[in-house]
Amino acid sequence: MEFACGFVYISPSVSQKDGQRPKVFKRSALLPPTTWIRPRISPPPPPPQASDIKPSAAQNPEEKKEDATGPFYENAEFQRESAASSRAVSPQPTRKKALLPPHMRPAARSPSPSSTNSPIFNYDLPKPDSDPDLPAPFYETLEETRSPTASARSTPHQTPTRHMDMPEYVEVLPSRRSVSSPTSPQSNKPLASPEDKGPLPGNPNVLLVSVGKLLSEEREQLTPGQPSVCSQCGSYLESSNNTKVNVCYFCGSPDLNIPPPATKGPQHRLFLLNPNEEPHSVTETLLLFCIDTSGSMSITSQVSDGENVVHKSRLEFVQEAVLQCVWRLMTQQPDSRVGLITFNNQVTLHGYDKASSYSLSGEELRDVDFLKEAAVTFPSPPPLSQTGDLLQTQVRGLSESGTTALGPAALLTIAMASRHQGSKVIICTDGKANIGVGNLEDEDLDARTLLSSTIFYQELGEYAANHGVTVSVLSIEGTDCRLDELGRLADRTGGKVVIASPNMLHPEFEQIIENRTIATHCSVTLLLPKLLRMKGEREAAHRGTREVGNVDVDTEITFQFAPNEHDTQVIAPPPGSQVSVQLQVRYRRRNGDRILRVLRTNREVTYDSSVALSSLSLAIIQLNSSQASAALAVRGRFLDAQKEGEQQRKLIERAIKHNRSAEDKQTYNDWVKTMEPIYSNIYNFTRKNSVISDSQSLTDAGAALLYAMKHSNRKSISLKKRQQL
């Protein structure tokens, strides 16, 4: 796993809110209310009684004279001499004299020493202009307190404002070091601009998980059996001796201050969850072509054949693409198992040497259970080394006629492939489904029909993902196939949604076939301490799970997390502290082994925006913005998609301005072109008339674009940039 930022960034505004956030605790009913404020000054004394009134200053002049010298200093002669000398000598505060106050003198009441016999301790004072920002030292306060003018202004019972516990025999010398000394830790630190210190737009806390790369590189030792996990949050526990844990680091209360587990670099563990099951063969996977042979496939297009211009129908282009794929597999991978299913007003399962072809039509196309049963009972295709020639003959003999029973054909094909985990289904069509289950043509007339069809394709996608089947949908350019609904099959299973011109079908077929599935039933769980929370996930807490399904070598997903601002009892972690992050990846190998992979790492917290910008990976931020914005737009949340993209765009611009990298700027310009549909013209990819009141449905071009962005990776983005150049 890779982090977009080298630190866990906490916005300064969040930390300020935490400082103002009141402590939440249970108060006793006997305590005063929380709004009660303790007075800062003591209440006024009661009115004096007649017997307590003392003689005035005029009646007792000696008391007034004694008060003028101050209540704490008995050496009045020294005070007068000090005041006279200060008036006679020019004010140069190079040296001052201090005496110990009476309350710090020895307990024995010896006569006060005279000014000539008592030892006087001198000390140097720094110049006032050398350090104007430092607070006044205690000896200056003391000098002001015992000076005649200050004592005359003070009240008779005023206590010193600073503690004075210095013994009488200690000489106080101020520090000679200046604040502007070169040894100061802040003297060599570059000053950041106010803009770099301000809160960052967007969210730099992004985690990238290269699932395909992670699962294909299993170098750790495999531990059989179930690991020890927390009963509350499911986090992996390091010590297997802990059979029962009341609270762990991730699900514990923030008030407990449980430290993160000590770690040096990322920690990896690998567990085999089903050690008692025998693995099965990995070669028994199927490749099934589901081809549209309806009447609309007879529409022709002009193509150049050398110096001649010929007309070919859409079906002829599809036949050529399938034949080229079958021929390559026969020569390079003769053990591959390839089957053919076609559909128009009926669905035909093309047979082999020992199995004849089988067709379904009429009311059979509306019965889901009957269609699944027919697919299960139909035998699986043998290897191409046995059926290659017959399959090529069947492909060449296809013809166009009838309507489009796409829904029943998709169900039959997926149910047939579900018997072999890791199988692939390629659906190629040029029109909407209009017969049987999954009818998409009557959407403008009956909203209930569209709703039932939407549910049908959602459930069919879940069925395919649960059985390890990858479904890809290809439509021919210039047609309307309702890819926003059909694309749910590819979206859930990790397949592709493509709109291809007729002469580009073969490269698209080959790319789908070569994209090998390395794992199925994959789910990724991110665990954070309660100081943080998931952002943008349906589980907006400190624990988030993403159902990935089928995984190929290029599969990459991203997560966002942020400080937990919603919980008033949680305070943001302080800067410099460490937080631990745990990642759990559960998946199934092609041989049936169920694996759990656990990764854990610690990250340092920072409040400094400039530090976060300097360590930012723009490639990860751009990938996350593409995936998150497209995921929102696919669900019809277009305004949220634009807001998400705009916030991350501002963050990238801020990072480019801070780092001043020409390469990053060029990468950003290319990425902005990719995100243009999200930023400005998202409504150009929606249908004007839609029966859904709360959102607009997508056109085929919009659905293909957004599904591709949702499942994009860094490799696909770089390839798109090279194609634009």
Side-chain angles (χ1 to χ4, degrees):
M1 54 182 175
E2 305 175 47
F3 289 84
C5 183
F7 303 84
V8 175
Y9 172 72
I10 306 295
S11 174
S13 59
V14 176
S15 61
Q16 292 173 4
K17 291 179 182 179
D18 290 336
Q20 301 172 359
R21 188 177 298 173
K23 269 288 191 180
V24 179
F25 57 90
K26 293 183 179 180
R27 293 180 57 86
S28 171
L30 302 177
L31 292 175
T34 56
T35 57
W36 180 79
I37 302 176
R38 183 183 297 275
R40 295 182 178 272
I41 59 176
S42 59
Q49 302 293 332
S51 59
D52 297 338
I53 298 177
K54 296 182 180 180
S56 62
Q59 298 175 0
N60 193 357
E62 295 181 358
E63 181 178 352
K64 181 178 180 180
K65 181 178 180 181
E66 181 179 356
D67 291 341
T69 61
F72 300 105
Y73 305 102
E74 301 175 2
N75 196 344
E77 182 180 357
F78 172 78
Q79 297 289 346
R80 289 193 295 271
E81 291 180 0
S82 176
S85 62
S86 62
R87 288 192 300 269
V89 183
S90 60
Q92 295 181 358
T94 56
R95 305 182 69 83
K96 291 187 178 181
K97 302 175 182 180
L99 290 178
L100 192 68
H103 70 279
M104 295 298 297
R105 294 188 177 184
R109 293 190 175 276
S110 59
S112 300
S114 63
S115 60
T116 58
N117 297 331
S118 62
I120 299 175
F121 299 99
N122 300 327
Y123 53 89
D124 296 332
L125 287 176
K127 295 181 179 181
D129 298 336
S130 62
D131 197 358
D133 295 333
L134 287 178
F138 77 94
Y139 39 77
E140 291 186 6
T141 307
L142 173 60
E143 180 66 19
E144 295 175 0
T145 306
R146 66 180 179 85
S147 63
T149 57
S151 59
R153 292 191 303 265
S154 60
T155 58
H157 299 286
Q158 181 180 359
T159 58
T161 57
R162 299 178 184 268
H163 64 86
M164 292 169 288
D165 54 353
M166 190 65 62
E168 196 174 26
Y169 50 81
V170 175
E171 182 176 4
V172 181
L173 296 176
S175 175
R176 298 284 185 181
R177 188 180 64 182
S178 175
V179 179
S180 59
S181 172
T183 59
S184 176
Q186 297 180 354
S187 59
N188 297 328
K189 184 177 179 180
L191 296 177
S193 63
E195 184 179 359
D196 291 340
K197 291 296 183 181
L200 294 180
N203 183 23
N205 297 316
V206 177
L207 172 64
L208 168 68
V209 184
S210 300
V211 184
K213 181 180 179 181
L214 190 65
L215 302 190
S216 59
E217 299 177 357
E218 296 178 351
R219 301 176 183 176
E220 294 79 12
Q221 183 179 1
L222 195 63
T223 303
Q226 296 284 343
S228 179
V229 297
C230 176
S231 59
Q232 297 185 25
C233 66
S235 63
Y236 164 71
L237 303 175
E238 292 292 337
S239 177
S240 59
N241 298 327
N242 296 335
T243 57
K244 183 178 180 181
V245 177
N246 295 327
V247 62
C248 74
Y249 167 75
F250 297 100
C251 65
S253 173
D255 296 335
L256 297 178
N257 294 325
I258 303 176
T263 177
K264 295 182 179 179
Q267 301 293 319
H268 300 256
R269 292 298 302 271
L270 205 62
F271 298 92
L272 176 62
L273 302 180
N274 57 341
N276 299 326
E277 297 181 8
E278 291 293 333
H280 56 74
S281 176
V282 299
T283 60
E284 297 181 359
T285 58
L286 304 180
L287 172 62
L288 301 180
F289 289 97
C290 184
I291 306 301
D292 186 357
T293 59
S294 61
S296 59
M297 293 291 288
S298 61
I299 298 176
T300 60
S301 301
Q302 292 183 359
V303 293
S304 298
D305 186 6
E307 297 180 355
N308 301 325
V309 177
V310 297
H311 291 77
K312 289 185 178 180
S313 66
R314 294 172 179 173
L315 183 58
E316 289 176 341
F317 283 108
V318 175
Q319 288 172 316
E320 291 181 0
V322 173
L323 289 173
Q324 293 179 32
C325 294
V326 172
W327 174 256
R328 185 188 65 82
L329 292 174
M330 288 177 60
T331 56
Q332 299 179 7
Q333 303 176 23
D335 293 335
S336 302
R337 299 171 180 265
V338 182
L340 178 64
I341 294 94
T342 59
F343 60 93
N344 43 27
N345 57 325
Q346 62 182 8
V347 180
T348 302
L349 304 173
H350 294 266
Y352 327 105
D353 293 338
K354 298 181 180 180
S356 58
S357 299
Y358 180 64
S359 298
L360 299 94
S361 60
E363 292 298 324
E364 297 174 339
L365 303 180
R366 296 180 174 87
D367 192 340
V368 175
D369 295 333
F370 180 82
L371 293 172
K372 287 184 178 180
E373 183 67 23
V376 170
T377 56
F378 194 80
S380 299
L384 279 178
S385 57
Q386 304 176 18
T387 62
D389 295 336
L390 176 61
L391 181 59
Q392 294 184 41
T393 302
Q394 293 172 345
V395 172
R396 293 190 184 98
L398 298 178
S399 59
E400 315 93 337
S401 64
T403 52
T404 308
L406 191 153
L411 175 58
L412 273 169
T413 309
I414 293 174
M416 185 175 176
S418 64
R419 292 178 291 176
H420 304 274
Q421 181 177 304
S423 299
K424 290 182 178 295
V425 171
I426 300 177
I427 301 175
C428 184
T429 182
D430 71 336
K432 301 177 184 178
N434 51 25
I435 291 182
V437 293
N439 189 345
L440 296 172
E441 195 172 60
D442 298 334
E443 56 175 304
D444 295 331
L445 301 178
D446 190 357
R448 290 176 297 179
T449 302
L450 176 61
L451 180 60
S452 62
S453 299
T454 300
I455 296 174
F456 168 77
Y457 289 110
Q458 286 179 344
E459 294 179 347
L460 186 57
E462 291 290 336
Y463 176 81
N466 293 335
H467 290 81
V469 178
T470 303
V471 182
S472 296
V473 180
L474 278 79
S475 69
I476 298 177
E477 190 177 36
T479 62
D480 185 8
C481 306
R482 284 306 304 271
L483 290 182
D484 56 330
E485 299 295 339
L486 291 178
R488 300 178 189 273
L489 301 176
D491 180 38
R492 183 61 184 88
T493 61
K496 294 183 62 177
V497 179
V498 180
I499 299 177
S501 59
N503 58 345
M504 294 299 295
L505 289 174
H506 175 247
E508 296 292 345
F509 283 166
E510 290 289 356
Q511 187 176 359
I512 294 173
I513 296 172
E514 293 175 359
N515 200 9
R516 185 174 59 91
T517 301
I518 61 175
T520 61
H521 303 81
C522 180
S523 64
V524 181
T525 300
L526 179 62
L527 284 163
L528 304 167
K530 285 191 174 181
L531 301 173
L532 306 173
R533 67 176 180 88
M534 300 295 299
K535 185 177 180 182
E537 300 296 321
R538 296 182 179 179
E539 296 182 54
H542 71 106
R543 182 179 187 272
T545 301
R546 182 83 59 84
E547 295 293 339
V548 182
N550 302 316
V551 178
D552 56 57
V553 293
D554 297 326
T555 301
E556 292 181 342
I557 63 173
T558 56
F559 292 93
Q560 283 193 37
F561 59 94
N564 191 355
E565 305 176 33
H566 301 304
D567 193 347
T568 57
Q569 298 183 359
V570 175
I571 300 178
S577 62
Q578 297 280 333
V579 295
S580 185
V581 176
Q582 186 177 117
L583 190 73
Q584 299 180 0
V585 184
R586 288 178 169 82
Y587 59 96
R588 185 176 296 179
R589 291 174 176 173
R590 295 180 61 190
N591 62 355
D593 291 341
R594 292 188 293 113
I595 307 296
L596 169 62
R597 191 182 187 95
V598 181
L599 300 91
R600 195 196 71 244
T601 185
N602 289 351
R603 310 296 294 178
E604 183 179 348
V605 178
T606 183
Y607 290 0
D608 195 335
S609 301
S610 61
V611 172
L613 290 174
S614 301
S615 63
L616 202 61
S617 173
L618 298 188
I620 298 178
I621 296 294
Q622 291 171 357
L623 178 61
N624 170 257
S625 180
S626 299
Q627 292 182 351
S629 300
L632 292 170
V634 164
R635 298 202 296 267
R637 298 171 56 183
F638 301 128
L639 296 178
D640 292 338
Q642 290 177 340
K643 182 179 179 181
E644 173 69 25
E646 182 67 18
Q647 289 178 346
Q648 296 299 82
R649 182 181 66 84
K650 291 180 180 179
L651 174 63
I652 296 172
E653 291 177 350
R654 178 88 169 268
I656 293 175
K657 184 177 180 181
H658 178 270
N659 299 326
R660 300 178 181 178
S661 173
E663 182 180 357
D664 290 344
K665 187 174 183 180
Q666 181 61 37
T667 304
Y668 165 73
N669 293 333
D670 297 335
W671 173 75
V672 167
K673 296 178 182 178
T674 304
M675 295 290 293
E676 185 67 23
I678 299 292
Y679 289 148
S680 58
N681 55 355
I682 185 65
Y683 292 100
N684 294 340
F685 295 97
T686 59
R687 300 176 185 271
K688 300 301 180 181
N689 298 324
S690 176
V691 298
I692 303 178
S693 59
D694 57 348
S695 64
Q696 289 283 334
S697 58
L698 296 168
T699 62
D700 281 6
L705 175 65
L706 293 177
Y707 280 127
M709 291 176 60
K710 183 180 178 182
H711 295 276
S712 60
N713 50 52
R714 290 174 293 181
K715 179 180 177 180
S716 63
I717 293 177
S718 61
L719 288 175
K720 185 178 296 185
K721 292 176 183 176
R722 287 197 291 268
Q723 291 174 1
Q724 292 176 354
L725 295 176

